[in-house]
Amino acid sequence: MTDAPLRAELLLDREVPDELRRELVAAFEGLGAPPVRVRHTVDHRGAADIPWIVLASLPLQAFLTGLGAEAVKDAYEAFKGVVRRTARPASRTPAPALAPDARDSREGGAARPIVLQDASTGLDIVLEPDLPAEAYERLTALDLTEFAVGPLHYDRDRGRWRSVLDEATG
């Protein structure tokens, strides 16, 4: 990856149970980007204010390049599993005390993605829980210099990562 060790910072929604927090930390450690700080969102924010369940800030290009290495294949598989489980924590644990309208919007297992954010540019990559294997394969070869605005989402029809905002401005 790089000569300097990668470091991640994780910001977790309050809905993320301790078990999943530990799995996330272990997954990032296994991928060579141990979290140096893990925090939870503040209580006064409403659930509708935060579209993601986990925000991970780290040097993304180095992280993504490292994901393609043979040495981390098992750790990468574990990471993908944690992405799937983390995006639906409400189905595993009771929801914390949210405003009634916020809780209703989450009922039925509404998935919220994990967002990887580049620590230097702020570019976001949105990882939905049901991404196909090809999305993860393409993620490891992604060149972030091709994008200016983001966020990046995987377009299943086109079979590629894209930023609608970048396309609209370019």
Side-chain angles (χ1 to χ4, degrees), residues 146-160:
E146 296 178 10
F147 305 96
V149 181
L152 277 59
H153 292 269
Y154 189 72
D155 184 326
R156 294 164 195 269
D157 294 332
R158 296 181 182 183
R160 65 182 179 93

Side-chain angles (χ1 to χ4, degrees), residues 57-133:
S57 178
L58 66 162
L60 264 183
Q61 191 65 67
F63 179 72
L64 295 176
T65 301
L67 291 180
E70 192 64 37
V72 298
K73 292 287 187 205
D74 290 340
Y76 191 32
E77 287 301 317
F79 175 73
K80 292 187 282 188
V82 172
V83 168
R84 287 183 200 104
R85 287 189 302 281
T86 302
R88 296 184 190 274
S91 64
R92 295 170 50 125
T93 60
L98 297 173
D101 58 332
R103 186 178 297 117
D104 292 343
S105 69
R106 297 277 177 78
E107 304 269 331
R112 291 168 59 210
I114 289 180
V115 175
L116 301 178
Q117 183 179 72
D118 187 69
S120 61
T121 67
L123 185 69
D124 292 341
I125 298 176
V126 180
L127 301 178
E128 287 94 3
D130 58 348
L131 285 174

